[in-house]
Structure formats: structure tokens, C-alpha cells
Amino acid sequence: MKRLAVPALLALAAGLLAACAAGPSADKPREVNTRSLPQAAAAAPAAESPLAAEVLKAVNASRAARGAAALTNDATLQRAASVHAADMQLRNFYGHHNPDGQGPRERVLAVSPDFKGSVAENIQVVEGQSYAAMSDAQLAKTLVEKWAASPPHRRNMQSPDLTRSGIGIVRSGQKIIAVQVFSGP
């Protein structure tokens, strides 16, 4: 009976791993639009909000504590982050790939077709009266702490290879959506 159980367990584990590897991009179209951003979200303001400035300040404080250089704000990354935050709010989804299959790199290329460099992204949605009532500095600290608790998000924040950033924020009632896009050489 043990001989049958081990292969069955291995097959089940392989199936689960395949499902995890497919993740949200399993339905991603083969050719993803890199020429334009989602139309409804493209009107999102691209200017840095006070909360976005506080998030960048908190991320840079975290980087400084570990000896990494501060991130600089980048207009292309700012635009890509702002549109993605607005798109998640408008189309009611949460993920690095939108329903059309665009991921962080495709969004950056839609903003700047000649863009070169690596791209990484952190996203966060918090909701509730306690978050909505926080000051920008408190909320930024909370968002950064949540990212720091996740190894992949922490790596993005701390990587010395990522030197530029753009942050998009959408507030809708008690819901706050934050997107930080990173890039390096």
C-alpha cells in the first residue's frame, strides 16, 4: 500500500505545483499589449500624491537602515504605478497582471516604448476605517511593514539593483490601493 501512496502523493504534489506555477498568468494572452494602457484607467492622475511621497520616504528609510541607496522617483514608473492602481480599483481585481494580461513590464513599456532596465512591482490593498483614519505617514509605515513581512516584496524594496521607483495610490472610501514599481539598470 505504501508503494501506491507515494506515487499518488507525488502526482498530487506535481499537479499542485503546476497549478501554482501557472498562477494568475495562466490565462494571459500570448501577445500582451505594450502600446497602450487600459483605457478607463489611463486617465488616472500620474502626479505623486502626499501618501505616495510618504511611502517612498518610508521605503527609503528602510533601505538606508540596511545600507542601500535611496530610490529616486521616476515619472515613467510613476505613471505605470498610478494607472495600475486605478485599473485595479475600476475593474475590481487585485494582481500584478490585469485582466488583459498586462504585467508590470508591459505597463512600463506602454508608457515608454524605449524603456530599458529591470522592472519589479509591489502591490497592497488595505481596507477599513482604521486604515482610512490613519495619517499619510502612519499609513505609509503600515504599507511598508506589510511589504517587508513578505520575502519577495521585501527583496524588491531592499534590492541595491533597483534604483528608481514610482508609486500609485487610489483611495476609494475606506479602501486604499498602493502600487510601487521599481526599476534598475
Side-chain angles (χ1 to χ4, degrees):
M1 195 161 209
K2 285 184 181 177
R3 285 187 183 172
L4 294 176
V6 171
L9 287 174
L10 289 175
L12 177 62
L16 290 173
L17 287 174
C20 290
S25 62
D27 297 327
K28 183 177 168 186
R30 286 187 186 268
E31 289 198 32
V32 178
N33 180 3
T34 60
R35 292 180 295 285
S36 64
L37 295 165
Q39 188 173 10
E48 184 180 56
S49 71
L51 176 54
E54 289 293 332
V55 169
L56 183 59
K57 185 176 167 183
V59 167
N60 280 336
S62 175
R63 288 172 66 92
R66 288 165 181 76
L71 296 167
T72 58
N73 197 16
D74 179 281
T76 296
L77 303 178
Q78 183 72 37
R79 177 85 176 121
S82 296
V83 168
H84 190 49
D87 194 26
M88 284 193 285
Q89 191 272 326
L90 289 168
R91 294 201 277 175
N92 196 30
F93 74 94
Y94 178 73
H96 294 287
H97 289 86
N98 69 20
D100 306 319
Q102 272 187 333
R105 181 158 200 74
E106 290 90 4
R107 284 188 290 278
V108 170
L109 288 170
V111 174
S112 178
D114 296 327
F115 181 86
K116 303 288 185 237
S118 60
V119 176
E121 178 179 76
N122 287 354
I123 60 177
Q124 182 71 242
V125 175
V126 294
E127 191 167 8
Q129 179 59 36
S130 61
Y131 295 111
M134 288 180 175
S135 70
D136 286 342
Q138 291 171 318
L139 185 52
K141 182 178 183 239
T142 299
L143 292 169
V144 170
E145 286 172 352
K146 286 179 174 291
W147 282 331
S150 162
H153 295 101
R154 183 175 55 248
R155 257 190 313 278
N156 289 344
M157 288 192 311
Q158 299 302 326
S159 174
D161 297 331
L162 300 173
T163 57
R164 296 171 287 158
S165 172
I167 301 167
I169 304 288
V170 170
R171 290 180 185 253
S172 179
Q174 295 181 3
K175 184 177 186 179
I176 298 111
I177 301 170
V179 175
Q180 184 168 21
V181 179
F182 303 86
S183 184

